[in-house]
């Protein structure tokens, strides 16, 4: 059983790459996922997707605003994925939820499900989505997903902590897996592969094992001012600009909250903090041993993209693509469990973070 995948808000292809990496053979039958079509508004992301995802091309990767996408013209799919924009649900932002520009965009995924009735879907968002609008936004989203399509979907809702699945980053994301109710199957959350702190993959593991080759793409250094280099020289691995004792001329005069990631160096003995796709000075992620920002290839390593994955666009565009993507390895974990569910293969699982019954989160 090979599922054909459609995707909205596809970005550079983190979900798709993870999905297409997984194949399972059981009792003579092959289970896997093939690219069908994808949509994103960002031209550079679409170009990256086309050049890295098998079977993707300029015809089936549609680069335009989802609000203008003609769903009826898309090819038939039996699997669907979307990491709908999370700006209005992020804990770092104002958490506008449905009152923001991005919150309602989840409804376009509902339209796709209503049109194609995929056998399963995977939806991804930030952990902050659970508390936006006093939790009402999340309950509404789950209600709409459960009741979408002609059959409705059995939902499994979990907060995945990436570092517990062998990913060198403390990136925590809500992933909702829905299986069409007429299949009478329920997705189980795969058991973490690295649940203990001592087993976490560290940032130095990611960046040094193996070393990044000299000819690796997207590995250009960012020009740092003398002031930034001097500031970083006073910051130890794992610390940020708010450390005590920083010379006065290197301190930041910023009103309001002191974000912990500002000029924060990675700790070589711990997973990276969350790699982000936007933000000004001090938010680029900083090397533990060198007084500089991370290169995009280093960011991609932390997001578990292979070195062969070439990103298109300017340096800042590539940074945005990488920071907004789903870690490839996390996508692999989820899609492998989905395929095992359909193949009837047992695997170790844990209870989900959220129980959703009769529109109530328990």
């Amino acid at each position: 059983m090979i599922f054909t995948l459609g995707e909205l808000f596809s970005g550079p292809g983190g979900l798709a790459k993870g999905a297409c990496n997984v194949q399972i053979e059981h009792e003579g039958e092959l289970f896997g996922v093939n690219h069908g079509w994808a949509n994103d508004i960002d031209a550079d992301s679409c170009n990256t997707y086309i050049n890295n995802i098998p079977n993707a091309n300029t015809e089936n990767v549609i680069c335009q605003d989802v609000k203008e996408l003609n769903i009826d013209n898309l090819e038939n799919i039996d699997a669907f994925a979307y990491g709908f924009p999370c700006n209005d649900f992020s804990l770092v932002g104002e958490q506008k939820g449905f009152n923001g520009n991005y919150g309602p965009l989840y409804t376009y995924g509902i339209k796709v499900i209503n049109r194609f009735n995929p056998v399963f879907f995977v939806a991804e968002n930030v952990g902050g989505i659970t508390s936006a609008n006093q939790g009402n936004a999340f309950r509404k989203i789950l209600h709409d997903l459960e009741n979408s399509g002609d059959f409705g979907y059995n939902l499994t809702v979990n907060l995945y902590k990436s570092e517990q699945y062998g990913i060198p980053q403390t990136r925590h994301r809500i992933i909702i897996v829905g299986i069409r109710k007429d299949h009478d199957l329920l997705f189980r959350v795969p058991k973490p592969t690295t649940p203990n702190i001592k087993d976490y993959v560290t940032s130095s593991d990611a960046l040094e094992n193996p070393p990044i080759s000299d000819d690796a793409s997207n590995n250009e250094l960012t020009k740092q001012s003398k002031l930034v280099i001097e500031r970083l020289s006073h910051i130890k691995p794992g610390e940020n600009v708010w450390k005590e004792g920083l010379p006065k001329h290197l301190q930041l005069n910023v009103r309001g909250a002191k974000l912990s990631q500002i000029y924060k160096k990675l700790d070589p003995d711990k997973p990276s903090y969350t790699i982000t796709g936007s933000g000004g000075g001090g938010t680029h992620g900083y090397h533990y041993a060198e007084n500089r920002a991370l290169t995009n290839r280093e960011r991609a390593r932390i997001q578990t993209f292979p070195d062969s994955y070439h990103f298109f666009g300017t340096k800042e565009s590539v940074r945005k693509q990488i920071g907004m993507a789903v870690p490839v390895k996390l996508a692999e974990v989820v899609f492998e469990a989905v395929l095992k569910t359909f193949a009837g293969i047992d695997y170790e699982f844990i209870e989900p973070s959220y129980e959703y019954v009769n529109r109530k989160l328990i």
Side-chain angles (χ1 to χ4, degrees), residues 29 40 55 58 106 151 175 197 213 216 229 242 255 304-305 308-309 331 355:
E29 185 175 6
D40 198 275
N55 304 316
T58 55
Y106 87 94
F151 304 92
I175 294 181
I197 294 177
S213 65
I229 294 172
W242 311 116
R255 294 182 179 181
T304 62
F305 283 94
S308 59
Y309 209 96
E355 290 285 345

Side-chain angles (χ1 to χ4, degrees), residues 2 24 29 59 62 65 104 152 157 170 226 231 255 264 269 273 295 315 339:
I2 303 297
I24 294 172
E29 185 175 6
E59 296 295 321
I62 305 100
D65 191 330
V157 186
T170 55
K226 291 182 179 179
R231 180 179 292 128
R255 294 182 179 181
K264 183 175 183 179
D269 299 320
Y273 49 83
T295 69
K315 188 189 299 181
L339 295 179

Side-chain angles (χ1 to χ4, degrees), residues 61-335:
V61 178
I62 305 100
C63 189
Q64 68 178 111
D65 191 330
V66 70
K67 298 172 185 176
E68 301 171 0
L69 183 66
N70 189 337
I71 294 173
D72 291 332
N73 286 345
L74 299 173
E75 295 294 323
N76 193 44
I77 55 170
D78 45 25
F80 176 56
Y82 76 133
F84 49 100
C86 58
N87 309 55
D88 289 324
F89 298 117
S90 174
L91 290 171
V92 177
E94 298 179 31
Q95 275 199 297
K96 296 177 181 178
F98 286 145
N99 299 322
N101 294 324
Y102 297 100
L105 292 180
Y106 87 94
T107 60
Y108 289 89
I110 302 293
K111 292 177 181 179
V112 168
I113 296 172
N114 289 340
R115 168 70 175 82
F116 294 105
N117 291 290
V119 176
F120 73 89
F121 67 79
V122 175
E124 178 266 351
N125 211 282
V126 293
I129 192 176
T130 63
S131 54
N133 298 113
Q134 293 77 49
N136 293 325
F138 194 42
R139 283 188 286 271
K140 170 64 173 170
I141 290 170
L142 294 179
H143 174 266
D144 289 352
L145 287 170
E146 180 188 26
N147 294 285
S148 58
D150 294 341
F151 304 92
Y153 290 81
N154 291 321
L155 304 186
T156 303
V157 186
N158 192 62
L159 178 68
Y160 287 80
K161 297 182 177 181
S162 294
E163 69 273 20
Q164 295 184 351
Y165 290 91
I167 295 156
Q169 182 183 186
T170 55
R171 192 182 193 93
H172 299 170
R173 291 295 184 265
I174 290 286
I175 294 181
I176 306 161
V177 176
I179 297 181
R180 215 169 66 195
K181 288 184 176 180
D182 60 318
H183 285 263
D184 198 27
L185 293 171
L186 181 66
F187 176 80
R188 302 289 188 180
V189 178
K191 183 180 178 180
T193 55
T194 53
N196 300 316
I197 294 177
K198 64 181 180 63
D199 297 323
Y200 288 171
V201 180
T202 68
S203 59
S204 59
D205 290 332
L207 303 190
E208 298 179 20
N209 187 21
I212 297 173
S213 65
D214 293 337
D215 60 351
S217 66
N218 308 118
N219 201 37
E220 304 87 354
L221 293 173
T222 297
K223 289 185 178 180
Q224 312 278 191
S225 69
K226 291 182 179 179
L227 183 67
V228 168
I229 294 172
E230 185 181 2
R231 180 179 292 128
L232 290 171
S233 72
H234 287 269
I235 299 173
K236 295 179 180 179
E239 293 183 349
N240 59 30
V241 75
W242 311 116
K243 61 162 283 186
E244 293 184 8
L246 196 69
K248 191 169 183 178
H249 73 287
L250 299 175
Q251 295 175 14
L252 298 181
N253 297 314
V254 180
R255 294 182 179 181
K258 294 182 177 180
L259 295 177
S260 63
Q261 294 187 11
I262 299 295
Y263 288 110
K264 183 175 183 179
K265 286 188 175 181
L266 301 183
D267 186 326
D269 299 320
K270 296 180 180 179
S272 167
Y273 49 83
T274 302
I275 295 297
T276 59
S278 60
T283 64
H284 290 230
Y286 296 86
H287 200 279
Y288 44 82
E290 301 176 23
N291 299 319
R292 62 171 177 81
L294 298 175
T295 69
N296 280 324
R297 179 52 53 195
E298 289 168 336
R299 296 185 184 102
R301 281 254 182 128
I302 290 169
Q303 283 278 59
T304 62
F305 283 94
D307 286 356
S308 59
Y309 209 96
H310 177 69
F311 295 84
F312 289 79
T314 64
K315 188 189 299 181
E316 196 56 32
S317 171
V318 171
R319 178 197 168 201
K320 179 181 177 181
Q321 292 174 55
I322 294 170
M324 295 184 71
V326 176
V328 173
K329 191 166 184 176
L330 183 60
E332 288 178 1
V333 166
V334 173
F335 277 91

